Amino acid sequence: CWGWADALGPTLRILAPIKISGAPEFVTLALGGTDCGLTRDGAVYCLGGFESVWRRVPFAPAFVSLAQGHSEPDPKPNPAHACALTAQGIAHCWGGNSLGQLGTGDLMARPTPTPVAGGHVFSTLAVGGESSCGVTVAGEAYCWGVNTEGQLGIGTKSPFGPPVQVPTRVLDPLR
């Protein structure tokens, strides 16, 4: 790792790559407010939140892909969240959920991976600071979370309204 190393101390900046002791061997990384890595056996480990060691995400199914989000500081605290896919294409998300970014149908934070509502089978996920999206195996895009500027692509925006708490299909401009 290199860069601002909040996990190793709030003011530490590392200018050249260093090996983090105790880090498992990862096949993919997702970086954000809390950094997470996926191992060959589908386990997820995260580092951050002023933790200096990699910790396995508890009660998690085996995952095949991983996406991470982080909210920039704003007036409303919104901790990082992450999402991952199982081999069967089921999306699970965990972390902060004050803006519906976990897609669970409510605004409760989840410390462990929780299936996304709707029963969709996804082929890929993308996670932003306050929203998440996935593309299904049928090629349909769904997004959930904050929609203040219409960033979910669902044809509306809700600058003062509630967040979209469950996956909602993105409009297809070609139809």
Side-chain angles (χ1 to χ4, degrees):
C1 293
W2 61 93
W4 288 105
D6 286 345
L8 302 177
T11 60
L12 182 61
R13 186 167 46 166
I14 300 171
L15 301 178
I18 63 167
K19 180 173 175 63
I20 302 295
S21 65
E25 183 178 327
F26 295 117
V27 294
T28 190
L29 292 172
L31 308 176
T34 300
D35 299 333
C36 295
L38 179 68
T39 64
R40 288 189 201 293
D41 66 355
V44 174
Y45 290 79
C46 295
L47 171 73
F50 298 100
E51 292 274 356
S52 59
V53 296
W54 289 93
R55 299 214 187 273
R56 185 173 179 160
V57 174
F59 311 114
F63 293 123
V64 295
S65 70
L66 179 66
Q68 173 74 23
H70 175 63
S71 177
E72 294 302 320
D74 69 7
K76 294 180 284 186
N78 184 28
H81 74 290
C83 297
L85 284 177
T86 65
Q88 296 77 29
I90 306 303
H92 289 71
C93 296
W94 66 97
N97 194 30
S98 62
L99 296 166
Q101 62 267 40
L102 300 185
T104 54
D106 58 39
L107 300 177
M108 293 175 35
R110 299 293 199 299
T112 58
T114 303
V116 169
H120 303 288
V121 178
F122 293 102
S123 59
T124 189
L125 295 173
V127 175
E130 298 164 333
S131 58
S132 306
C133 295
V135 176
T136 67
V137 294
E140 299 172 334
Y142 286 83
C143 293
W144 54 95
V146 72
N147 194 38
T148 55
E149 300 298 324
Q151 60 265 54
L152 298 184
I154 59 175
T156 63
K157 65 179 184 175
S158 52
F160 304 106
V164 177
Q165 299 176 25
V166 295
T168 303
R169 187 164 178 208
V170 173
L171 297 179
D172 184 349
L174 303 177
R175 290 186 188 182

